[in-house]
Amino acid sequence: MTSPATSSETSPAPWQRAATGANLLSPNGGLGVTIFEEMTMLALSAGAINLGQGFPDEDGPAEIKAAAQAAIAAGVNQYAPGKGLAVLREAVAAHQQRFYGLTPDPETEVIVTTGATEGIAAALLAFIEPGDEVLTFEPFYDSYGAIIGMAGGRHVTAPLLAPDFMPDLDALESAFSSRTKAVLLNNPHNPTGAVFPREVLSRIVELATKYGALIISDEVYEHLTFGVKHLPVATIPGAAERTITISSAGKTFSFTGWKIGWLSGPQQLVAAVRTVKQFLTYSSGTPFQGAIAVGLGLPDDFYTGIASTLQHKRDILAEGLTAAGFGVYSPKGTYFINVDTAPLGITDSVDLARRLPGLVGVAAIPVPVFCHPEGAERTRSLLRFAFCKKTEVLEEAASRLATLRDKL
């Protein structure tokens, strides 16, 4: 008899589909740990600087922390409304108007989520039926594959190609089909650091319209771009009526542990997502929601400042990576910089990632883990490093990395 905790031979359980989608299930059915957990454990055991997982090592603005502390002290500690506190929904709507000219109704077209991850999950679970195709670019953030698998969808990818990690538009068109139900777009893009221009976004909208697909746009790095401006796909003609835009406070304000996210879009789409979301967490982070509303109202120099500071950190790490002998791909946005190990005569980035903490005391993430098998072969020699750390930490990491050629 098949255990209800596993599955039948012909029908994998939802957890198995999620694990397969996130590249956690081996061919023999064994369940592994995430690459983030593996690299963190290796970093800890070697006393290495962990530039694998993308979270900051210092807090964001003091006024946001003070607002959260004041809310807790004032007793704002019970359930928020399912769609989120009005003050944050109104702040999100004002933010979209201020930066992009978008005008979502905070009452019916904005909801607060437990981080962007829940927003993405709720959107996919709301609309994807077994057998539907969901298109992402590849490499892709691992949770995308997990949720697509959990929903019973088929994950289809279009490759992003070095050195600039832009898609081939013909290959993108070939990835669409009559079964394409949604395009899950990540812009600025993790793990490559690409920021997609109007030409790419317009083609995505044209193809989504042609095939009747939704666009679910993960824009959590929207304010972390270098020398280019983020362009929300919802601003492209023809996109607004089919687009759910998702973002969060974690990356912009360096409060990743608060897990405050939000989504906006047409009323009928947002209502469908909210129907699912209310049975995931219902609500969360009540005292943090008003504090993030304060953050969204910070002046323009805050937003330009965080991007400028992060760009400087990118450049510090890039120097060390160049000195190490890697081929360095300078990102236009996000927390991440990718390198090619091939100039060092190394073509297996997974193996190097496992050795790197012991070799030079720095941990990174191999890009192939963010890919399906064909994509993993294409990105076999790529490594991703996070530069969202204190300047002195990055300077030390750069110094250690510069010794790599001598250690190999």
Side-chain angles (χ1 to χ4, degrees), residues 64 67 85-92 94-95 98 249 253 258 260 262 287-298 303:
I64 300 179
L85 292 181
V87 66
L88 180 51
R89 288 185 281 110
E90 290 164 1
V92 169
H95 170 277
R98 170 185 171 190
F253 301 117
W258 289 13
I260 301 297
W262 51 84
F288 303 125
Q289 291 189 27
I292 295 304
V294 170
L296 289 173
L298 289 174
Y303 290 95

Side-chain angles (χ1 to χ4, degrees), residues 213-226:
L214 293 171
I215 300 172
I216 301 169
S217 187
D218 174 359
E219 302 182 9
V220 296
Y221 296 99
E222 60 186 312
H223 291 294
L224 305 179
T225 62
F226 319 126

Side-chain angles (χ1 to χ4, degrees), residues 341 345-355 366 368 380-382:
T341 66
I346 297 171
T347 58
D348 186 348
S349 64
V350 176
D351 176 69
L352 181 60
R354 288 176 171 142
R355 293 193 291 137
R380 191 167 185 262
S381 62
L382 300 187

Side-chain angles (χ1 to χ4, degrees), residues 11-356:
S11 179
W15 73 265
Q16 291 172 310
R17 297 199 303 269
T20 300
N23 295 328
L24 292 182
L25 207 62
S26 66
N28 65 6
L31 184 63
V33 298
T34 69
I35 191 66
F36 303 105
E37 184 175 348
E38 180 183 355
M39 292 301 118
T40 295
M41 291 300 101
L42 287 173
L44 285 171
S45 64
I49 296 172
N50 188 356
L51 302 185
Q53 196 165 0
F55 60 86
D57 57 359
E58 52 192 335
D59 287 341
E63 55 264 61
I64 300 179
K65 287 202 295 183
Q69 290 163 345
I72 293 169
V76 186
N77 299 306
Q78 307 308 323
Y79 292 127
K83 60 185 177 182
L85 292 181
V87 66
L88 180 51
R89 288 185 281 110
E90 290 164 1
V92 169
H95 170 277
Q96 296 301 88
Q97 168 70 48
R98 170 185 171 190
F99 288 100
Y100 311 123
L102 296 168
T103 57
D105 182 342
E107 191 61 31
T108 61
E109 296 181 328
V110 178
I111 58 174
V112 178
T113 60
T114 303
T117 304
E118 186 194 36
I120 294 163
L124 289 170
L125 293 170
F127 295 109
I128 301 306
E129 299 182 73
D132 285 342
E133 293 182 356
V134 180
L135 173 61
T136 76
F137 287 121
E138 186 180 53
F140 53 85
Y141 184 53
D142 58 351
S143 78
Y144 297 171
I147 301 301
I148 293 167
M150 197 182 304
R154 180 171 178 263
H155 188 183
V156 177
T157 62
L160 297 177
L161 306 173
D164 58 359
F165 296 105
M166 288 293 120
D168 177 283
L169 296 184
D170 291 334
L172 174 62
E173 182 170 8
S174 296
F176 277 82
S177 79
S178 61
R179 297 180 298 278
T180 304
K181 187 65 172 287
V183 179
L184 178 48
L185 174 65
N186 180 206
N187 179 41
H189 184 265
N190 174 20
T192 68
V195 178
F196 300 124
R198 182 177 294 273
E199 176 192 10
V200 170
L201 296 176
S202 295
R203 190 62 181 138
I204 291 169
V205 173
E206 290 170 4
L207 291 167
T209 302
K210 177 180 178 180
Y211 289 96
L214 293 171
I215 300 172
I216 301 169
S217 187
D218 174 359
E219 302 182 9
V220 296
Y221 296 99
E222 60 186 312
H223 291 294
L224 305 179
T225 62
F226 319 126
V228 294
K229 280 195 169 185
H230 168 63
L231 182 65
V233 70
T235 65
I236 301 295
E241 62 266 27
R242 64 179 63 253
T243 299
I244 297 168
T245 301
I246 297 170
S247 194
S248 77
K251 304 303 190 294
T252 297
F253 301 117
S254 295
F255 292 118
T256 59
W258 289 13
K259 296 297 289 179
I260 301 297
W262 51 84
L263 61 81
S264 59
Q267 180 178 347
Q268 71 276 15
L269 298 182
V270 171
V273 176
R274 185 185 168 196
T275 300
V276 172
K277 179 263 184 298
Q278 68 185 335
F279 298 112
L280 297 176
T281 60
Y282 181 69
S283 70
S284 59
T286 305
F288 303 125
Q289 291 189 27
I292 295 304
V294 170
L296 289 173
L298 289 174
D300 289 354
D301 60 2
F302 164 76
Y303 290 95
T304 57
I306 57 173
S308 176
T309 298
L310 198 59
Q311 182 173 348
H312 176 62
K313 292 180 175 183
R314 176 201 68 179
D315 294 344
I316 291 171
L317 185 58
E319 287 182 14
L321 293 167
T322 301
F326 293 118
V328 179
Y329 302 122
S330 186
K332 296 292 187 182
T334 77
Y335 282 170
F336 307 109
I337 187 167
N338 287 265
V339 302
D340 190 355
T341 66
L344 290 169
I346 297 171
T347 58
D348 186 348
S349 64
V350 176
D351 176 69
L352 181 60
R354 288 176 171 142
R355 293 193 291 137
L356 204 59

